[in-house]
Amino acid sequence: MRPVRARVNGRERTEAVPPRLLLCDFLRARLRLTGTHVGCEHGVCGACTVLLDGEPVRSCLLFAAQIDGREVTTVEGLAPDAEHLHPVQQAFHEEHALQCGFCTPGMVMNALDFAKSHPNPSEEEVRESLEGNLCRCTGYHNIVKSIMAGARAMAGSK
Ligand code: FES
Ligand code: FES
């Protein structure tokens, strides 16, 4: 077992993990943060995307031991309180960007990073940013609209 000490959604966590335990399995099974979804398990679909020190990563391609000393944010860590959603989550809600919702957490986590550098993105820019996130329901149209709206909301220019 390997000791892991990390900050997850603002909370210090200290756990002992098998060296080959995947980060996605650690988050879901050990910490019960099941908002991080697992689709392809080999880095293609983006459903497992979380932020590691603020950068989007695929949690199916990392070991839990690799987050030692670092900060992880999952979709559960975004809403400011129980009554309000993060602006990107709110945009997904308002633009009807969910069908089955399986891809949604990964889409939202990826969009957060994209929005930081694109406060008022074009449709083309959003579509390019989504090349690593697959929606099996193929509801891309409303997802794109949501990310455009969410980015503007994050920038305070909605
Ligand atoms: S489950 Fe990680 S990229 Fe698909
Ligand atoms: S909403 Fe179903 S996979 Fe995207």
Side-chain angles (χ1 to χ4, degrees):
M1 296 292 255
R2 298 268 306 261
V4 170
R5 191 166 176 192
R7 201 167 173 80
V8 180
N9 295 338
R11 183 174 160 200
E12 287 294 337
R13 311 293 299 237
T14 304
E15 302 277 339
V17 298
R20 295 182 64 79
L21 179 67
L22 294 176
L23 177 56
C24 55
D25 295 333
F26 172 74
L27 293 170
R28 289 177 54 82
R30 185 74 70 87
L31 303 188
R32 308 305 299 163
L33 296 171
T34 54
T36 298
H37 291 166
V38 179
C40 66
E41 293 185 88
H42 59 270
V44 174
C45 74
C48 66
T49 303
V50 299
L51 301 183
L52 182 62
D53 294 335
E55 301 288 328
V57 295
R58 279 147 209 261
S59 59
C60 72
L61 296 183
L62 287 171
F63 294 120
Q66 291 176 278
I67 68 167
D68 189 42
R70 305 179 75 179
E71 176 151 13
V72 176
T73 306
T74 71
V75 72
E76 289 91 343
L78 300 185
D81 57 55
E83 307 300 321
H84 300 92
L85 294 170
H86 181 282
V88 173
Q89 293 174 307
Q90 185 67 33
F92 269 68
H93 173 66
E94 289 174 6
E95 301 289 348
H96 309 290
L98 300 87
Q99 291 182 60
C100 78
F102 193 84
C103 68
T104 309
M107 293 280 185
V108 168
M109 300 312 286
N110 191 63
L112 288 181
D113 180 63
F114 169 75
K116 278 191 274 175
S117 54
H118 296 81
N120 188 17
S122 66
E123 179 178 335
E124 192 183 347
E125 287 172 324
V126 172
R127 287 188 182 275
E128 268 177 33
S129 80
L130 287 176
E131 63 184 6
N133 289 77
L134 306 182
C135 175
R136 280 182 280 189
C137 300
T138 69
Y140 290 102
H141 185 69
N142 286 357
I143 291 171
V144 170
K145 280 175 31 186
S146 304
I147 295 172
M148 292 172 75
R152 289 195 299 271
M154 275 178 69
S157 60
K158 192 177 180 185

